[in-house]
Amino acid sequence: MGGTFNPVHIAHIKMAEAAYRQAGLDKVVFMPSKNPPHKKNIHIIPEKHRGAMLKLAINGVPYFEYSDFEFKREGITYSSQTLSLLHMQNPGERYFFIMGGDSFFQIENWHLPGKIMEYAAIIAISRNGTGKKQMEKYAEELREKYNAEIIIAEMPQMDISSSCIREIILSGGDASMYLPDKVWNYIKEQGCYSL
């Protein structure tokens, strides 16, 4: 499960739980993005903070794992390249790529989408059944076009985004309801996202 995790919030965790349970995964590896191509104009806090918060958020869950694989790479990090490198390193492993519905509908605009679907099965998350029919329809198109393996998983609707959380913190508000307790404490202690 990739993302900037800027910051990691409870919807990220619930999404990973839904994918783990509904797709019968062995584990979920959280892999924060170093330099994602689609977030060029967004202030992304340093890797050390995003990594630390992610470790705190998943601590104690035996089937969640942290990876700094993308942090070790230089330049723009494309999912297609990450999956290709992982596949070369571990040719016997079967990979799944977890994404929200919004990203799922944009996947053909990503860098080498065919490679992403070649190297990983897609687990697309529908929130509270939202757009599930459209997701199933699009999944069928992708299966035909790319010979893709796609699983549609579901989770409760959670209107949370990292950008909204950053705005709340920047305005001096309380974002604790959207974040794991340890992450909220870390943000306050480190002064992340504050003026």
Side-chain angles (χ1 to χ4, degrees):
M1 182 169 169
T4 48
F5 299 111
N6 187 35
V8 58
H9 51 67
I10 56 173
H12 289 133
I13 304 303
K14 295 290 184 193
M15 197 169 150
E17 284 279 358
Y20 172 78
R21 299 199 184 288
Q22 293 172 46
L25 305 179
D26 294 325
K27 63 182 174 183
V28 175
V29 179
F30 289 79
M31 189 179 291
S33 309
K34 180 182 180 80
N35 188 9
H38 57 292
K39 301 212 174 172
K40 287 178 185 162
N41 300 317
I42 295 171
H43 172 65
I44 300 174
I45 64 167
E47 294 163 15
K48 69 173 185 175
H49 291 309
R50 292 188 290 128
M53 287 188 288
L54 199 42
K55 288 176 192 172
L56 288 169
I58 66 173
N59 185 39
V61 182
Y63 47 85
F64 284 172
E65 193 176 291
Y66 171 80
S67 170
D68 63 357
F69 187 81
E70 284 211 343
F71 282 173
K72 292 175 180 172
R73 293 174 53 208
E74 294 302 321
I76 291 173
T77 48
Y78 294 106
S79 298
S80 56
Q81 292 171 341
T82 297
L83 285 163
S84 177
L85 290 167
L86 288 170
H87 188 73
M88 281 192 292
Q89 285 183 13
N90 309 292
E93 289 290 330
R94 186 171 177 222
Y95 289 99
F96 294 79
F97 193 102
I98 303 167
M99 59 175 56
D102 51 347
S103 296
F104 177 60
F105 284 116
Q106 291 296 317
I107 193 167
E108 288 191 282
N109 298 325
W110 290 25
H111 182 261
L112 300 176
K115 287 289 176 195
I116 294 171
M117 289 178 267
E118 177 185 342
Y119 291 127
I122 303 296
I123 302 175
I125 308 286
S126 166
R127 293 189 181 191
N128 215 25
T130 308
K132 190 170 181 206
K133 279 187 180 175
Q134 297 96 317
M135 288 175 78
E136 289 286 8
K137 186 173 182 284
Y138 187 51
E140 201 48 53
E141 290 174 24
L142 295 176
R143 288 180 189 116
E144 286 181 27
K145 188 172 179 181
Y146 297 97
N147 193 30
E149 181 184 353
I150 299 169
I151 299 162
I152 307 296
E154 293 184 85
M155 66 175 275
Q157 182 69 37
M158 298 179 86
D159 293 320
I160 304 170
S161 71
S162 294
S163 59
C164 288
I165 291 168
R166 291 193 303 270
E167 285 174 26
I168 290 167
I169 296 167
L170 199 55
S171 65
D174 181 354
S176 61
M177 69 193 79
Y178 305 116
L179 300 159
D181 291 342
K182 290 177 182 175
V183 173
W184 176 235
N185 290 335
Y186 182 91
I187 287 170
K188 288 188 295 181
E189 286 164 11
Q190 297 293 324
C192 302
Y193 309 110
S194 301
L195 284 170

